[in-house]
């Protein structure tokens, strides 16, 4: 059964994450996402398997081409190689390629290592050659993601192999021999074959992420947290990881500023160096617990379960680790806009300027959609005007989902399963001409609602969020009072929910995608509320603001 199938409105789609080392080839695109055009599962499975094979072949060719280009670019012309400890240096390229091809055929294509023993005997009895053979096998198996070779099987293959270490340039992440892996003066890992192979941390992290459901909202948090963990600890054999390194990772997190990843991208400063600097404030306790602790905890449990018998320390845990940052619980919590603040925002000279210029249509519509839907900024920005804004029974709505077609630069996501929802478009937005704007960007072929804000690292919203934060400063509305801040688009969620609470409008949480008081099991039985019922809820919300009508 394929793990890369998703069903959207009765049609099966193929989705697969692009390997990190090949993202640049796809112009930053992180996911292959395409329609299979079929509705039955068996046919979709067959097409998905075919697509998987095609992608595997394509990625293998890309890696081979990249490796060849690098070798050709770094190879001095007419240079005769000099002897070196690394056998790659003095083997001729032609002999190397022929030898690797023969070994691959004899070893990697065999099902059992025992069969490869006989092939080794057929290839050669020469000790030096056999050690080179074994070096290639180790590297090729690691690159192919094969399981570690059992020590007893290696020893049985030939005593000559274990007589001396073999220099193997280790790919990252890969499988290494933790007990006897050393670094030669020339920077090449010298791998002895006398003890059990131990996976590197990078290998275990990749295994965890590759086997995690990438459509689940927590996947992105896991990827960010574990990538930083790998940078902090290093791609070492897992048997070398110590509890103090896990503690040091969380200590570093507590010294990082909010939105530290944006700072890393902007300045190029590594997170470890950023943590050494002084910052006005650090990550919040909520982010520490629900993004980082919540990612490392299941990773450690999974790693101990799967790799505990090959060296992963069974005593590693996050239990007892405490938040040590500067923020207090709830200090960054935003509040609702007050009436006077909404008037300043939507009836001020700045908004009049937005309405008078089609080039600032995005600035005009983003805050209004936030106000009348309470949607998260990324939910709004990733909306595809080609398919996510439509109508049922004459009711126009926004379909917040990660399962519809996305802009090729965007990997759609929702925070929780309950965040997938259809939200009717408020009559105020319709009266102001929102559908005319949608039709304009739709005809232009746009696959995101606001094309002027360029997606970043698979997300449609970073530039939009930054703009609105700056706009709050420009209008003098930004409020950094601890526990009741007004600093970004999220304040509109509070505003909508607060209105419902104070005006006796029930079930506003259905509009915003919050879970409410209903249990997960009950929600599963109930299904989603009908669009017509949601329309009745949303039309009870009436903010006392009069934004200028935009030109079309």
């Amino acid at each position: 059964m394929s793990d890369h199938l998703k069903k959207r409105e009765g049609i099966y789609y193929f989705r697969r994450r692009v390997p990190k080392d090949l993202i640049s080839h796809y112009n930053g695109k992180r996911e292959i996402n395409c329609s299979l055009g079929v509705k039955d599962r068996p046919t979709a499975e067959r097409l998905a398997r075919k697509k998987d094979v095609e992608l595997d072949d394509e990625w293998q060719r890309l890696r081979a081409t990249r490796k060849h280009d690098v070798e050709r670019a770094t190879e001095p012309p007419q240079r005769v190689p000099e002897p070196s400890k690394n056998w790659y240096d003095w083997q001729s390229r032609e002999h190397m390629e022929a030898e690797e091809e023969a070994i691959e055929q004899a070893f990697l294509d065999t099902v059992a290592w025992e069969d490869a023993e006989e092939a080794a005997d057929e290839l050669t009895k020469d000790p030096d050659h056999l050690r080179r053979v074994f070096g290639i096998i180790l590297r090729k198996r690691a690159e192919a993601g094969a399981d570690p070779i059992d020590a007893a099987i290696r020893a049985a293959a030939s005593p000559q192999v274990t007589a001396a270490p073999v220099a193997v340039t280790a790919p990252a992440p890969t499988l290494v021999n933790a007990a006897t892996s050393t670094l030669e003066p020339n920077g090449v890992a010298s791998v002895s074959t006398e003890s059990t192979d131990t996976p590197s941390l990078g290998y275990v992290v990749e295994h965890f992420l590759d086997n995690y459901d990438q459509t689940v909202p927590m996947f992105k948090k896991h990827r960010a947290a574990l990538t930083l963990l790998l940078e902090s600890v290093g791609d070492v054999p897992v048997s070398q990881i110590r509890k103090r390194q896990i503690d040091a990772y969380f200590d570093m997190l507590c010294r990082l500023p909010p939105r530290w990843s944006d700072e890393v991208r902007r300045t190029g400063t590594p997170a470890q160096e950023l943590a050494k600097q002084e910052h006005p404030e650090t990550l919040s306790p909520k982010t520490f617990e629900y993004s980082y602790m919540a990612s490392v905890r299941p990773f450690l449990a999974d790693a101990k379960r799967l790799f505990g018998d090959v060296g992963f320390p069974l005593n590693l845990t996050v239990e007892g680790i405490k938040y040590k940052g500067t923020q207090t619980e709830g200090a960054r919590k935003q509040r609702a806009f007050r009436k006077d603040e909404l008037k300043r925002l939507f009836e001020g000279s700045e908004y009049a300027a937005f309405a008078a210029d089609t080039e600032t249509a995005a600035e005009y519509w983003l805050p209004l959609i936030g106000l009348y839907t309470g949607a998260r900024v990324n939910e709004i920005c990733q909306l595809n005007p080609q398919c996510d804004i439509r109508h049922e029974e004459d009711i126009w709505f926004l379909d917040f989902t990660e399962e519809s077609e996305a802009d090729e630069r965007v990997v759609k996501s929702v925070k929780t399963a309950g965040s997938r929802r259809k939200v009717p478009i408020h009559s105020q937005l319709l009266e102001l001409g929102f559908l005319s704007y949608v039709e304009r960007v739709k005809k232009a072929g746009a696959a995101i609602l606001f094309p002027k804000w360029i997606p970043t690292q698979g997300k449609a919203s970073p530039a939009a969020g930054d703009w609105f934060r700056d706009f709050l400063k420009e209008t003098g509305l930004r409020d950094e009072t601890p526990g009741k801040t007004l600093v970004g688009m999220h304040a509109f969620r509070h505003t909508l929910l607060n209105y419902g609470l104070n005006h006796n409008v029930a079930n506003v949480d259905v509009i915003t995608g919050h879970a409410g008081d209903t249990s997960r099991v009950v929600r599963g039985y109930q299904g989603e509320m009908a669009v017509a019922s949601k329309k009745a809820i949303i039309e009870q919300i009436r903010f006392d603001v009069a934004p200028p009508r935009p030109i079309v």
Side-chain angles (χ1 to χ4, degrees), residues 15 71 119 129 136 145 180 253 287 293 309 329 333 351 355-356 364 372 385 411 424 438 441 520 539:
R15 296 178 66 177
E71 288 175 347
H129 181 78
I136 294 173
T180 56
L253 283 171
T287 301
M293 291 279 279
D309 57 352
E329 187 69 41
K333 185 177 179 64
Y351 230 77
Y364 179 90
Y372 284 104
V411 179
V438 171
V441 293
R520 186 175 182 179
E539 289 301 332

Side-chain angles (χ1 to χ4, degrees), residues 354-376:
F354 296 156
D357 188 351
T358 57
E359 294 300 314
T360 53
E363 288 88 339
Y364 179 90
W365 288 112
L366 175 64
L368 280 169
I369 296 171
L371 177 65
Y372 284 104
T373 66
R376 300 173 181 89

Side-chain angles (χ1 to χ4, degrees), residues 193-296:
T193 60
E194 296 179 352
S195 61
T196 304
D197 286 307
T198 300
S200 70
L201 178 59
Y203 180 90
V204 177
V205 167
E206 285 295 305
H207 185 277
F208 178 82
L209 293 176
D210 286 345
N211 288 277
Y212 199 88
D213 185 355
Q214 298 175 22
T215 65
V216 173
M218 273 301 293
F219 174 76
K220 287 188 175 182
K221 291 185 178 182
H222 288 339
R223 183 173 60 193
L226 297 179
T227 299
L228 185 58
L229 176 67
L230 182 59
E231 292 176 5
S232 175
V233 176
D235 192 15
V236 299
V238 292
S239 60
Q240 297 180 11
I241 303 175
R242 298 294 178 261
K243 179 66 171 65
R244 63 179 178 274
Q245 292 173 294
I246 305 299
D247 287 357
Y249 164 75
F250 283 103
D251 286 344
M252 176 191 69
L253 283 171
C254 291
R255 297 192 300 272
L256 288 173
R259 301 176 61 81
W260 63 267
S261 58
D262 290 348
E263 188 71 12
V264 169
R265 285 193 295 269
R266 186 179 65 82
T267 65
T269 305
Q272 291 89 337
E273 294 301 315
L274 199 62
K276 297 176 183 178
Q277 301 173 9
E278 293 294 328
H279 304 285
E281 58 183 1
T282 60
L283 287 177
S284 70
K286 183 177 180 180
T287 301
F288 179 83
E289 175 61 40
Y290 295 110
S291 291
Y292 295 96
M293 291 279 279
S295 293
V296 176

